[in-house]
Amino acid sequence: MKDSVKIAMGRFLKFAMVGASGVTINLGCLWLFREYMFSWIDSEGLRINISLFLAIFLATFNNYCWNRRWTWLDRKENAGKGFWKQMIEYYTVCLFAILLQVLFTNLLLRFMHYLPANLSAIVLAGFVNFLANDAWTFTSRRFLRKP
């Protein structure tokens, strides 16, 4: 197996492990916000979507920090980006995945409980998230230079 394939597989495994921590935060916050913090909101649709937005935001911040610190550590310095600039890029890339997650969660709510619906949506949107962040947010300058 080529070294580049091994590196990509290792990076994806790290990304998946970071994602698992984000899933835990996402589902835990979603449950906490929906069941307790926003229980006073009568509209189920509004309550679930506010809870979902906040849960996704917190999980995404967790994932950015760990992906920067661990998954793409070898590219962090080469990219020449500071924490905040790279975080803005990460959130920009994740926005599409977040929108997919919200869409998929709401579609799946018709067939299942909100927690497994959200978990399924996270997995689907996660693939988009990895590919886009690998290609843009954490691309090092050496990959951007033409030979």
Side-chain angles (χ1 to χ4, degrees):
M1 190 178 304
K2 290 186 176 185
D3 286 340
S4 60
V5 173
K6 286 181 184 177
I7 291 169
M9 288 175 59
R11 193 178 312 277
F12 185 77
L13 288 174
K14 288 179 180 180
F15 180 81
M17 290 179 3
V18 168
S21 74
V23 168
T24 302
I25 290 169
N26 186 308
L27 293 175
C29 288
L30 177 60
W31 175 79
L32 180 69
F33 295 152
R34 184 193 173 276
E35 299 296 329
Y36 295 101
M37 291 188 70
F38 299 115
S39 62
W40 54 271
I41 297 176
D42 291 331
S43 168
E44 174 62 23
L46 182 59
R47 183 175 36 176
I48 192 79
N49 283 303
I50 289 172
S51 300
L52 189 57
F53 174 81
L54 290 173
I56 292 168
F57 180 84
L58 292 171
T60 302
F61 183 73
N62 168 79
N63 291 359
Y64 166 68
C65 291
W66 280 109
N67 280 320
R68 186 174 201 270
R69 178 95 179 149
W70 187 43
T71 308
W72 282 284
L73 179 63
D74 61 316
R75 293 187 186 175
K76 184 175 79 169
E77 299 305 321
N78 291 334
K81 301 173 186 177
F83 180 89
W84 297 107
K85 181 178 190 294
Q86 198 170 46
M87 186 177 82
I88 290 168
E89 289 180 4
Y90 187 84
Y91 269 88
T92 301
V93 168
C94 292
L95 180 60
F96 182 67
I98 289 168
L99 293 174
L100 284 176
Q101 182 183 342
V102 171
L103 175 69
F104 290 147
T105 298
N106 278 287
L107 289 173
L108 293 171
L109 280 174
R110 300 172 187 193
F111 309 104
M112 60 183 75
H113 189 264
Y114 71 91
L115 291 175
N118 185 238
L119 181 61
S120 300
I122 289 167
V123 170
L124 293 170
F127 290 109
V128 172
N129 195 353
F130 175 78
L131 294 172
N133 275 300
D134 190 60
W136 184 47
T137 307
F138 295 104
T139 296
S140 71
R141 287 184 180 171
R142 68 182 175 93
F143 293 123
L144 296 176
R145 290 186 193 134
K146 293 184 179 180

